[in-house]
Short mmCIF file of all heavy atoms in Angstrom, two decimals:
data_model
loop_
_atom_site.label_atom_id
_atom_site.label_comp_id
_atom_site.label_asym_id
_atom_site.label_seq_id
_atom_site.Cartn_x
_atom_site.Cartn_y
_atom_site.Cartn_z
N GLU A 6 5.26 6.07 -12.90
CA GLU A 6 5.48 6.96 -11.72
C GLU A 6 5.48 6.13 -10.39
O GLU A 6 5.87 6.68 -9.37
CB GLU A 6 4.40 8.00 -11.64
CG GLU A 6 4.43 8.99 -12.74
CD GLU A 6 3.32 10.03 -12.69
OE1 GLU A 6 2.43 9.88 -11.82
OE2 GLU A 6 3.35 10.93 -13.49
N PHE A 7 5.06 4.89 -10.43
CA PHE A 7 4.97 4.09 -9.21
C PHE A 7 6.09 3.06 -9.17
O PHE A 7 6.49 2.49 -10.16
CB PHE A 7 3.63 3.40 -9.15
CG PHE A 7 2.50 4.38 -8.93
CD1 PHE A 7 1.81 4.87 -9.98
CD2 PHE A 7 2.10 4.69 -7.65
CE1 PHE A 7 0.75 5.77 -9.79
CE2 PHE A 7 1.04 5.55 -7.43
CZ PHE A 7 0.37 6.09 -8.52
N VAL A 8 6.54 2.81 -7.98
CA VAL A 8 7.62 1.81 -7.77
C VAL A 8 7.31 1.07 -6.43
O VAL A 8 6.86 1.69 -5.48
CB VAL A 8 9.00 2.44 -7.78
CG1 VAL A 8 9.20 3.39 -6.60
CG2 VAL A 8 10.08 1.39 -7.79
N LYS A 9 7.53 -0.22 -6.43
CA LYS A 9 7.32 -1.02 -5.23
C LYS A 9 8.62 -0.95 -4.39
O LYS A 9 9.69 -1.40 -4.85
CB LYS A 9 7.03 -2.48 -5.58
CG LYS A 9 6.60 -3.32 -4.45
CD LYS A 9 6.13 -4.66 -4.90
CE LYS A 9 5.66 -5.49 -3.73
NZ LYS A 9 5.17 -6.82 -4.18
N CYS A 10 8.49 -0.40 -3.20
CA CYS A 10 9.66 -0.21 -2.34
C CYS A 10 9.79 -1.25 -1.23
O CYS A 10 10.83 -1.36 -0.58
CB CYS A 10 9.73 1.22 -1.83
SG CYS A 10 8.36 1.60 -0.77
N HIS A 11 8.69 -1.94 -0.98
CA HIS A 11 8.64 -2.95 0.09
C HIS A 11 7.50 -3.91 -0.25
O HIS A 11 6.71 -3.62 -1.15
CB HIS A 11 8.41 -2.25 1.40
CG HIS A 11 8.70 -3.10 2.60
ND1 HIS A 11 7.78 -3.95 3.14
CD2 HIS A 11 9.83 -3.17 3.37
CE1 HIS A 11 8.33 -4.55 4.22
NE2 HIS A 11 9.57 -4.12 4.34
N ARG A 12 7.46 -5.00 0.41
CA ARG A 12 6.43 -6.00 0.13
C ARG A 12 5.02 -5.42 0.16
O ARG A 12 4.17 -5.75 -0.63
CB ARG A 12 6.53 -7.16 1.16
CG ARG A 12 5.51 -8.23 0.90
CD ARG A 12 5.52 -9.26 1.98
NE ARG A 12 6.81 -9.90 2.11
CZ ARG A 12 7.11 -10.77 3.01
NH1 ARG A 12 6.24 -11.14 3.91
NH2 ARG A 12 8.30 -11.29 3.10
N SER A 13 4.77 -4.51 1.08
CA SER A 13 3.43 -3.96 1.29
C SER A 13 3.28 -2.51 0.83
O SER A 13 2.26 -1.92 1.12
CB SER A 13 3.08 -4.05 2.76
OG SER A 13 3.13 -5.38 3.19
N TYR A 14 4.29 -1.95 0.18
CA TYR A 14 4.25 -0.52 -0.12
C TYR A 14 4.56 -0.27 -1.62
O TYR A 14 5.48 -0.82 -2.17
CB TYR A 14 5.21 0.26 0.73
CG TYR A 14 4.89 0.24 2.18
CD1 TYR A 14 5.43 -0.73 3.02
CD2 TYR A 14 4.02 1.19 2.72
CE1 TYR A 14 5.13 -0.76 4.35
CE2 TYR A 14 3.71 1.18 4.04
CZ TYR A 14 4.27 0.21 4.89
OH TYR A 14 3.96 0.19 6.18
N LEU A 15 3.75 0.66 -2.17
CA LEU A 15 3.96 1.14 -3.51
C LEU A 15 3.91 2.66 -3.41
O LEU A 15 3.01 3.21 -2.78
CB LEU A 15 2.79 0.67 -4.40
CG LEU A 15 2.84 0.97 -5.88
CD1 LEU A 15 3.92 0.14 -6.54
CD2 LEU A 15 1.50 0.62 -6.52
N VAL A 16 4.95 3.32 -3.98
CA VAL A 16 4.98 4.80 -3.82
C VAL A 16 5.00 5.43 -5.21
O VAL A 16 5.46 4.91 -6.19
CB VAL A 16 6.24 5.29 -3.01
CG1 VAL A 16 6.15 4.84 -1.60
CG2 VAL A 16 7.50 4.84 -3.65
N ASN A 17 4.44 6.65 -5.23
CA ASN A 17 4.45 7.50 -6.41
C ASN A 17 5.69 8.34 -6.36
O ASN A 17 5.90 9.10 -5.43
CB ASN A 17 3.18 8.35 -6.43
CG ASN A 17 3.02 9.10 -7.69
OD1 ASN A 17 3.93 9.42 -8.38
ND2 ASN A 17 1.76 9.45 -8.00
N LEU A 18 6.53 8.24 -7.38
CA LEU A 18 7.82 8.93 -7.37
C LEU A 18 7.72 10.45 -7.34
O LEU A 18 8.58 11.09 -6.86
CB LEU A 18 8.67 8.48 -8.59
CG LEU A 18 9.18 7.05 -8.53
CD1 LEU A 18 9.76 6.62 -9.86
CD2 LEU A 18 10.18 6.89 -7.40
N LYS A 19 6.61 10.97 -7.79
CA LYS A 19 6.50 12.42 -7.76
C LYS A 19 6.28 12.97 -6.37
O LYS A 19 6.38 14.13 -6.10
CB LYS A 19 5.41 12.94 -8.73
CG LYS A 19 3.99 12.71 -8.32
CD LYS A 19 3.12 13.31 -9.39
CE LYS A 19 1.66 13.10 -9.08
NZ LYS A 19 0.79 13.69 -10.09
N HIS A 20 6.02 12.05 -5.39
CA HIS A 20 5.81 12.47 -4.00
C HIS A 20 6.99 12.10 -3.11
O HIS A 20 6.95 12.27 -1.89
CB HIS A 20 4.51 11.88 -3.41
CG HIS A 20 3.29 12.38 -4.12
ND1 HIS A 20 2.85 13.67 -3.96
CD2 HIS A 20 2.47 11.77 -5.01
CE1 HIS A 20 1.78 13.85 -4.66
NE2 HIS A 20 1.50 12.71 -5.33
N VAL A 21 8.06 11.57 -3.70
CA VAL A 21 9.24 11.18 -2.94
C VAL A 21 10.23 12.34 -2.85
O VAL A 21 10.53 12.96 -3.88
CB VAL A 21 9.98 9.99 -3.62
CG1 VAL A 21 11.25 9.69 -2.92
CG2 VAL A 21 9.05 8.75 -3.61
N SER A 22 10.64 12.70 -1.67
CA SER A 22 11.59 13.80 -1.54
C SER A 22 13.03 13.32 -1.50
O SER A 22 13.90 13.88 -2.14
CB SER A 22 11.28 14.71 -0.38
OG SER A 22 11.22 14.06 0.82
N PHE A 23 13.29 12.20 -0.77
CA PHE A 23 14.62 11.62 -0.80
C PHE A 23 14.61 10.20 -0.29
O PHE A 23 13.60 9.76 0.30
CB PHE A 23 15.65 12.48 -0.02
CG PHE A 23 15.39 12.61 1.47
CD1 PHE A 23 16.01 11.76 2.37
CD2 PHE A 23 14.52 13.59 1.95
CE1 PHE A 23 15.81 11.88 3.73
CE2 PHE A 23 14.29 13.72 3.30
CZ PHE A 23 14.95 12.86 4.21
N LEU A 24 15.71 9.52 -0.51
CA LEU A 24 15.86 8.09 -0.08
C LEU A 24 17.05 7.98 0.85
O LEU A 24 18.02 8.68 0.69
CB LEU A 24 16.13 7.20 -1.31
CG LEU A 24 15.21 7.24 -2.47
CD1 LEU A 24 15.76 6.48 -3.63
CD2 LEU A 24 13.86 6.64 -2.07
N VAL A 25 16.91 7.10 1.81
CA VAL A 25 18.04 6.64 2.61
C VAL A 25 18.12 5.12 2.51
O VAL A 25 17.23 4.51 1.89
CB VAL A 25 18.00 7.15 4.06
CG1 VAL A 25 18.10 8.64 4.14
CG2 VAL A 25 16.74 6.67 4.75
N LYS A 26 19.05 4.51 3.13
CA LYS A 26 19.27 3.07 2.99
C LYS A 26 18.03 2.24 3.37
O LYS A 26 17.77 1.23 2.73
CB LYS A 26 20.44 2.67 3.87
CG LYS A 26 20.91 1.25 3.62
CD LYS A 26 22.18 0.97 4.40
CE LYS A 26 22.65 -0.43 4.06
NZ LYS A 26 23.89 -0.74 4.77
N THR A 27 17.26 2.67 4.36
CA THR A 27 16.14 1.82 4.84
C THR A 27 14.79 2.47 4.71
O THR A 27 13.80 1.82 5.04
CB THR A 27 16.36 1.49 6.32
OG1 THR A 27 16.41 2.71 7.07
CG2 THR A 27 17.61 0.68 6.53
N ASP A 28 14.72 3.70 4.19
CA ASP A 28 13.44 4.40 4.10
C ASP A 28 13.32 5.26 2.85
O ASP A 28 14.33 5.78 2.33
CB ASP A 28 13.20 5.30 5.32
CG ASP A 28 13.00 4.53 6.59
OD1 ASP A 28 12.06 3.75 6.65
OD2 ASP A 28 13.82 4.69 7.54
N VAL A 29 12.08 5.49 2.46
CA VAL A 29 11.73 6.45 1.42
C VAL A 29 10.99 7.56 2.10
O VAL A 29 9.95 7.30 2.79
CB VAL A 29 10.82 5.78 0.36
CG1 VAL A 29 10.35 6.81 -0.68
CG2 VAL A 29 11.50 4.60 -0.31
N PHE A 30 11.45 8.78 1.98
CA PHE A 30 10.77 9.90 2.64
C PHE A 30 9.92 10.67 1.60
O PHE A 30 10.38 10.97 0.52
CB PHE A 30 11.82 10.86 3.25
CG PHE A 30 12.45 10.31 4.47
CD1 PHE A 30 13.53 9.43 4.40
CD2 PHE A 30 11.91 10.61 5.71
CE1 PHE A 30 14.11 8.88 5.53
CE2 PHE A 30 12.50 10.05 6.87
CZ PHE A 30 13.58 9.24 6.76
N LEU A 31 8.68 10.93 1.99
CA LEU A 31 7.71 11.53 1.16
C LEU A 31 7.63 13.04 1.41
O LEU A 31 8.05 13.50 2.48
CB LEU A 31 6.34 10.88 1.33
CG LEU A 31 6.30 9.38 1.12
CD1 LEU A 31 4.91 8.83 1.45
CD2 LEU A 31 6.71 8.98 -0.29
N ASN A 32 7.03 13.78 0.47
CA ASN A 32 6.93 15.24 0.57
C ASN A 32 6.09 15.67 1.78
O ASN A 32 6.24 16.75 2.28
CB ASN A 32 6.34 15.82 -0.70
CG ASN A 32 7.25 15.62 -1.88
OD1 ASN A 32 8.44 15.51 -1.74
ND2 ASN A 32 6.69 15.60 -3.08
N ASN A 33 5.21 14.81 2.23
CA ASN A 33 4.32 15.18 3.34
C ASN A 33 4.96 14.89 4.71
O ASN A 33 4.29 15.02 5.74
CB ASN A 33 2.98 14.44 3.25
CG ASN A 33 3.07 12.95 3.36
OD1 ASN A 33 4.14 12.41 3.55
ND2 ASN A 33 1.96 12.27 3.20
N GLY A 34 6.23 14.48 4.73
CA GLY A 34 6.92 14.26 5.97
C GLY A 34 6.90 12.82 6.45
O GLY A 34 7.58 12.48 7.43
N ARG A 35 6.14 11.99 5.84
CA ARG A 35 6.06 10.58 6.27
C ARG A 35 7.16 9.79 5.60
O ARG A 35 7.72 10.19 4.58
CB ARG A 35 4.72 9.97 5.89
CG ARG A 35 3.56 10.61 6.61
CD ARG A 35 2.26 10.00 6.21
NE ARG A 35 1.20 10.66 6.87
CZ ARG A 35 0.07 10.09 7.24
NH1 ARG A 35 -0.15 8.82 7.01
NH2 ARG A 35 -0.90 10.78 7.86
N ASN A 36 7.48 8.64 6.17
CA ASN A 36 8.45 7.74 5.59
C ASN A 36 7.87 6.36 5.45
O ASN A 36 7.00 5.92 6.19
CB ASN A 36 9.76 7.73 6.34
CG ASN A 36 9.63 7.25 7.74
OD1 ASN A 36 8.62 7.53 8.41
ND2 ASN A 36 10.61 6.49 8.20
N VAL A 37 8.38 5.64 4.42
CA VAL A 37 7.92 4.34 4.07
C VAL A 37 9.14 3.42 4.06
O VAL A 37 10.21 3.87 3.61
CB VAL A 37 7.26 4.33 2.65
CG1 VAL A 37 6.83 2.96 2.21
CG2 VAL A 37 6.08 5.31 2.63
N PRO A 38 9.03 2.21 4.57
CA PRO A 38 10.18 1.33 4.60
C PRO A 38 10.66 0.94 3.19
O PRO A 38 9.89 0.87 2.25
CB PRO A 38 9.70 0.09 5.35
CG PRO A 38 8.24 0.14 5.38
CD PRO A 38 7.86 1.54 5.15
N LEU A 39 11.98 0.79 3.07
CA LEU A 39 12.61 0.40 1.82
C LEU A 39 13.35 -0.93 2.05
O LEU A 39 14.23 -0.99 2.91
CB LEU A 39 13.59 1.47 1.37
CG LEU A 39 14.40 1.23 0.11
CD1 LEU A 39 13.49 1.04 -1.10
CD2 LEU A 39 15.32 2.39 -0.15
N SER A 40 12.94 -1.95 1.37
CA SER A 40 13.56 -3.28 1.58
C SER A 40 14.97 -3.31 0.97
O SER A 40 15.28 -2.58 0.03
CB SER A 40 12.69 -4.38 0.95
OG SER A 40 12.77 -4.36 -0.45
N ARG A 41 15.76 -4.18 1.52
CA ARG A 41 17.14 -4.32 1.03
C ARG A 41 17.15 -4.75 -0.40
O ARG A 41 18.01 -4.34 -1.20
CB ARG A 41 17.95 -5.32 1.87
CG ARG A 41 18.28 -4.77 3.24
CD ARG A 41 19.02 -5.78 4.05
NE ARG A 41 18.05 -6.74 4.55
CZ ARG A 41 18.34 -7.97 4.93
NH1 ARG A 41 19.58 -8.40 4.93
NH2 ARG A 41 17.42 -8.78 5.36
N LEU A 42 16.22 -5.62 -0.76
CA LEU A 42 16.20 -6.13 -2.16
C LEU A 42 15.73 -5.07 -3.19
O LEU A 42 16.11 -5.16 -4.34
CB LEU A 42 15.30 -7.34 -2.27
CG LEU A 42 15.75 -8.56 -1.46
CD1 LEU A 42 14.69 -9.65 -1.56
CD2 LEU A 42 17.07 -9.07 -1.97
N ALA A 43 14.99 -4.09 -2.72
CA ALA A 43 14.46 -3.06 -3.67
C ALA A 43 15.31 -1.79 -3.69
O ALA A 43 15.05 -0.90 -4.47
CB ALA A 43 13.06 -2.71 -3.26
N THR A 44 16.34 -1.72 -2.86
CA THR A 44 17.14 -0.47 -2.76
C THR A 44 17.68 0.01 -4.08
O THR A 44 17.52 1.17 -4.45
CB THR A 44 18.27 -0.66 -1.73
OG1 THR A 44 17.72 -1.03 -0.48
CG2 THR A 44 19.07 0.63 -1.56
N LYS A 45 18.35 -0.88 -4.81
CA LYS A 45 18.94 -0.45 -6.10
C LYS A 45 17.89 -0.08 -7.13
O LYS A 45 18.03 0.90 -7.85
CB LYS A 45 19.84 -1.58 -6.61
CG LYS A 45 21.16 -1.71 -5.87
CD LYS A 45 22.03 -2.76 -6.49
CE LYS A 45 23.27 -2.92 -5.68
NZ LYS A 45 24.19 -3.94 -6.25
N GLN A 46 16.85 -0.88 -7.19
CA GLN A 46 15.78 -0.65 -8.18
C GLN A 46 15.08 0.69 -7.92
O GLN A 46 14.82 1.47 -8.82
CB GLN A 46 14.78 -1.81 -8.14
CG GLN A 46 13.62 -1.59 -9.06
CD GLN A 46 12.52 -2.66 -8.87
OE1 GLN A 46 12.63 -3.47 -7.97
NE2 GLN A 46 11.49 -2.58 -9.69
N VAL A 47 14.74 0.94 -6.65
CA VAL A 47 14.05 2.19 -6.32
C VAL A 47 14.97 3.37 -6.51
O VAL A 47 14.56 4.41 -7.04
CB VAL A 47 13.53 2.12 -4.85
CG1 VAL A 47 12.97 3.46 -4.42
CG2 VAL A 47 12.46 1.04 -4.72
N GLY A 48 16.20 3.24 -6.14
CA GLY A 48 17.18 4.33 -6.36
C GLY A 48 17.34 4.68 -7.83
O GLY A 48 17.33 5.85 -8.19
N ALA A 49 17.44 3.66 -8.67
CA ALA A 49 17.59 3.87 -10.11
C ALA A 49 16.34 4.51 -10.67
O ALA A 49 16.40 5.43 -11.52
CB ALA A 49 17.93 2.57 -10.82
N ALA A 50 15.16 4.08 -10.27
CA ALA A 50 13.90 4.63 -10.76
C ALA A 50 13.78 6.08 -10.29
O ALA A 50 13.30 6.95 -11.05
CB ALA A 50 12.73 3.80 -10.22
N PHE A 51 14.16 6.41 -9.07
CA PHE A 51 14.13 7.75 -8.55
C PHE A 51 15.01 8.68 -9.36
O PHE A 51 14.57 9.77 -9.78
CB PHE A 51 14.54 7.71 -7.07
CG PHE A 51 14.54 9.05 -6.40
CD1 PHE A 51 13.34 9.66 -6.09
CD2 PHE A 51 15.70 9.67 -6.04
CE1 PHE A 51 13.31 10.88 -5.39
CE2 PHE A 51 15.70 10.89 -5.36
CZ PHE A 51 14.48 11.49 -5.07
N ILE A 52 16.19 8.24 -9.67
CA ILE A 52 17.14 9.04 -10.49
C ILE A 52 16.60 9.23 -11.90
O ILE A 52 16.62 10.36 -12.42
CB ILE A 52 18.54 8.39 -10.45
CG1 ILE A 52 19.14 8.50 -9.10
CG2 ILE A 52 19.45 9.02 -11.51
CD1 ILE A 52 20.39 7.67 -8.88
N ARG A 53 16.14 8.15 -12.53
CA ARG A 53 15.58 8.29 -13.88
C ARG A 53 14.39 9.22 -13.93
O ARG A 53 14.25 10.02 -14.84
CB ARG A 53 15.14 6.89 -14.41
CG ARG A 53 16.28 6.07 -14.93
CD ARG A 53 15.77 4.89 -15.76
NE ARG A 53 14.68 4.14 -15.16
CZ ARG A 53 14.77 3.13 -14.31
NH1 ARG A 53 15.98 2.65 -13.99
NH2 ARG A 53 13.71 2.53 -13.82
N TYR A 54 13.52 9.12 -12.94
CA TYR A 54 12.32 9.96 -12.87
C TYR A 54 12.66 11.43 -12.79
O TYR A 54 12.15 12.26 -13.56
CB TYR A 54 11.41 9.56 -11.71
CG TYR A 54 10.12 10.31 -11.66
CD1 TYR A 54 9.10 9.98 -12.48
CD2 TYR A 54 9.96 11.41 -10.78
CE1 TYR A 54 7.90 10.66 -12.42
CE2 TYR A 54 8.78 12.07 -10.72
CZ TYR A 54 7.75 11.75 -11.58
OH TYR A 54 6.57 12.44 -11.52
#
Side-chain angles (χ1 to χ4, degrees):
E6 294 178 354
F7 291 90
V8 65
K9 187 173 183 178
C10 61
H11 196 273
R12 180 187 302 176
S13 302
Y14 295 92
L15 185 70
V16 295
N17 186 333
L18 290 171
K19 73 178 177 180
H20 295 289
V21 174
S22 56
F23 64 96
L24 304 170
V25 294
K26 190 174 183 178
T27 60
D28 291 300
V29 176
F30 287 85
L31 305 176
N32 295 335
N33 64 3
R35 295 181 183 212
N36 61 323
V37 177
L39 178 60
S40 73
R41 287 180 284 159
L42 296 175
T44 302
K45 288 183 181 180
Q46 177 188 5
V47 173
F51 181 72
I52 291 168
R53 280 194 315 269
Y54 183 79

